[in-house]
C-alpha cells in the first residue's frame, strides 16, 4: 500500500513562524499572586501538601504527570523549584509537553495558530523542532536512553554527538555478538538508517539553548530526576518531519513507560499528581498500578493502597466527594472519566476543578511554609 513520503514536504524554519507565546513574558514564578480558591479546593491543596511532606520525610516518591498546558501557562519555574527542593521525584508528560518545553528553551517562544497554518499547509512543518527532537531521540535510543532523557540531555548539554556510519556499523556488529545485545544493536541500526538515508553529518552538533533556565527537562537533567515522555504516534508535530522514525520513538517511549512503572511500583505511602492530563495520566497510571499489584501478589506482598492522588483540571464535575465512591449516572462527575479511572486505583483521591497556575502556586506556598 502506498504511504505518504514526508521527504516531499517543505519544512519551514522556526524563524518564519508567528509565535503566540514568549516564555519571558508568561513565566510564572514561586510567590507570584494567584486567585483565591474556594474553601474545598483550599482544603484539598493543603491535604496534597501534607501528604507530600509525609511522603518525602519517609523517602516515598511524589510523581507529577502533566499536559502541555502547564508548560504553555509558564509554570516551568514553579515546577523547577519543586524539583530542586526535592518535593518531586518523577516527572511525566506527553509529547507536546516535551516539545513546548524544548521550543521555549531553544527559541524562547512557542505555539502557533493551528487553524491558519493548517489551511496554509504549514502547521507543524518546522525544521528545527522536527530535526533536533527526532535526532535527539534516535541518538539517545542508541545510547540506551528513553525519550525524556534524550531530549533533556540535548537541552542540558546543548549538543548532540552523532557517530559516523562506519562507527555505527561496528557498534551494531559488536552488540550482536554479545548475549542480549540484539535490542541495543537494533537501536544503533535505527540511527545508522537515519545517518545514511538523510546524510546526517557525523560529529558534534552544537545546539545553544539560551532559555534553558525555563526548561523542566533541563532541571530534570541537572538534578538526575527521572523525566519520562508518553507520546501518541502521530499526535505531535515532530511526526511531520522526515527524520521521524518509529523505531527510536517507540523504543524511547517504551523505556519511559517502564521507568514510570518502576516509580509507580514504589508508590505505597507516596503521592501522584495529575495536572491537566485527562487522557495520558490516567491511562498510563492504571496499567502501571496493575503491574505493581501483580508483582506484589507474586512476591507475597500486599497490593498498593496507601497512596494519595490529586487530579487537577478545569472540567466541571459538581461538588462530588470521591471518598463516597463513584457518583451515580445522573451526576455530572460521573462523566469525568479521568477521575473514575484514578478512583478505581485504590488509595485516596481529590479532584480539584482549578486553574493549574493557582494549584501549583498554592501547593508550592504550602510546601514552603505558607498557606494553601
Amino acid at each position: 500500500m502506498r504511504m505518504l513520503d514526508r521527504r516531499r514536504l517543505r519544512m519551514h524554519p522556526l524563524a518564519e513562524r508567528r509565535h503566540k507565546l514568549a516564555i519571558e513574558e508568561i513565566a510564572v514564578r514561586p510567590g507570584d499572586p494567584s486567585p483565591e480558591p474556594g474553601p474545598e479546593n483550599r482544603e484539598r491543596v493543603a491535604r496534597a501538601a501534607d501528604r507530600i511532606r509525609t511522603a518525602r520525610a519517609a523517602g516515598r516518591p511524589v510523581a507529577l504527570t502533566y499536559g502541555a498546558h502547564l508548560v504553555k501557562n509558564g509554570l516551568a519555574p514553579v515546577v523547577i523549584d519543586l524539583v530542586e527542593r526535592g518535593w518531586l521525584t518523577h516527572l511525566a508528560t506527553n509529547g507536546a509537553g516535551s516539545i513546548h518545553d524544548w521550543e521555549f528553551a531553544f527559541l524562547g517562544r512557542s505555539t502557533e495558530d493551528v487553524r491558519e497554518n493548517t489551511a496554509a499547509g504549514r502547521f507543524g512543518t518546522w525544521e528545527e523542532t522536527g530535526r533536533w527532537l527526532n535526532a535527539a531521540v534516535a541518538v539517545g535510543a542508541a545510547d540506551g536512553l528513553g525519550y525524556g532523557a534524550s531530549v533533556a540531555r540535548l537541552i542540558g548539554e546543548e549538543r548532540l554527538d552523532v557517530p559516523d556510519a562506519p562507527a555505527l556499523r561496528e557498534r551494531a556488529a559488536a552488540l550482536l555478538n554479545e548475549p542480549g545485545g540484539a535490542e541495543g544493536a537494533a537501536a544503533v541500526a535505527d540511527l545508522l538508517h537515519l545517518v545514511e538515508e538523510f546524510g546526517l553529518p557525523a560529529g558534534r552538533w552544537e545546539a545553544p539553548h539560551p532559555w534553558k533556565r525555563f526548561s523542566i527537562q533541563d532541571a530534570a537533567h541537572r538534578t538526575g530526576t527521572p523525566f519520562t515522555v508518553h507520546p501518541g504516534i502521530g499526535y505531535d508535530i515532530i511526526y511531520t518531519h522526515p527524520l521521524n522514525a518509529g523505531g527510536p520513538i517507540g523504543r524511547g517511549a517504551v523505556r519511559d513507560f517502564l521507568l514510570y512503572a518502576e516509580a509507580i511500583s514504589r508508590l505505597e505511602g507516596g503521592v501522584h499528581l495529575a495536572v491537566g492530563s485527562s487522557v495520558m495520566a490516567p491511562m498510563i497510571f492504571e496499567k502501571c498500578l496493575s503491574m505493581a499489584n501483580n508483582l506484589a501478589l507474586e512476591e507475597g506482598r500486599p497490593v498498593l493502597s496507601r497512596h494519595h492522588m490529586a487530579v487537577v483540571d478545569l472540567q466541571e464535575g459538581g461538588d462530588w466527594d470521591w471518598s463516597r465512591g463513584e457518583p451515580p449516572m445522573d451526576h455530572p462527575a460521573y462523566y469525568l472519566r479521568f477521575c473514575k479511572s484514578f478512583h478505581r486505583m485504590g488509595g485516596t483521591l481529590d479532584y480539584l476543578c482549578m486553574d493549574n497556575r493557582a494549584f501549583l502556586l498554592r501547593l508550592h506556598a504550602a510546601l514552603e511554609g505558607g498557606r494553601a
Side-chain angles (χ1 to χ4, degrees), residues 110-361:
S110 189
T111 307
E112 60 186 298
D113 188 317
V114 177
R115 182 190 298 273
E116 175 183 295
N117 285 341
T118 300
R122 295 166 65 92
F123 170 57
T125 59
W126 308 109
E127 173 62 23
E128 292 89 342
T129 304
R131 184 177 183 85
W132 280 110
L133 294 187
N134 283 306
V137 173
V139 171
D143 291 339
L145 300 179
Y147 187 134
S150 298
V151 178
R153 182 176 68 171
L154 166 64
I155 299 171
E157 298 183 359
E158 300 188 287
R159 71 173 194 272
L160 277 183
D161 294 310
V162 180
D164 60 23
L168 289 169
R169 289 183 179 279
E170 186 176 334
R171 277 175 62 185
L175 285 165
L176 284 173
N177 287 323
E178 296 178 5
E183 183 179 2
V188 173
D190 284 335
L191 179 57
L192 172 63
H193 163 71
L194 294 178
V195 167
E196 292 188 330
E197 182 73 13
F198 296 97
L200 301 183
R204 176 165 295 183
W205 297 12
E206 299 290 346
H209 287 72
W211 292 272
K212 69 178 184 178
R213 66 188 183 280
F214 295 106
S215 169
I216 296 171
Q217 292 172 113
D218 178 63
H221 179 77
R222 284 190 289 104
T223 62
T225 303
F227 179 88
T228 54
V229 176
H230 306 269
I233 299 297
Y235 287 13
D236 305 311
I237 64 171
I238 65 170
Y239 294 92
T240 68
H241 197 279
L243 278 184
N244 176 257
I249 295 290
R251 188 169 287 106
V254 169
R255 286 174 178 163
D256 277 3
F257 174 69
L258 296 177
L259 286 169
Y260 174 80
E262 172 62 22
I264 298 306
S265 75
R266 296 180 285 102
L267 195 62
E268 185 73 1
V271 178
H272 185 275
L273 307 173
V275 180
S277 180
S278 61
V279 177
M280 179 275 290
M283 292 298 98
I284 61 174
F285 185 85
E286 64 182 9
K287 281 75 174 181
C288 292
L289 192 75
S290 179
M291 291 193 294
N293 287 340
N294 182 303
L295 290 174
L297 292 169
E298 287 296 309
E299 296 167 4
R301 296 182 285 107
V303 299
L304 276 69
S305 62
R306 295 188 305 106
H307 53 282
H308 181 66
M309 299 166 287
V311 179
V312 182
D313 214 297
L314 290 176
Q315 295 187 49
E316 294 286 350
D319 188 21
W320 183 258
D321 179 2
W322 285 91
S323 67
R324 296 162 51 193
E326 290 187 14
M329 291 184 68
D330 61 354
H331 194 284
Y334 179 84
Y335 299 96
L336 293 180
R337 178 68 201 187
F338 51 92
C339 281
K340 283 199 295 184
S341 293
F342 279 115
H343 181 261
R344 294 168 178 175
M345 298 299 105
T348 55
L349 170 68
D350 277 330
Y351 176 55
L352 300 90
C353 184
M354 191 175 185
D355 183 278
N356 54 32
R357 286 164 290 205
F359 171 74
L360 282 172
L361 284 168

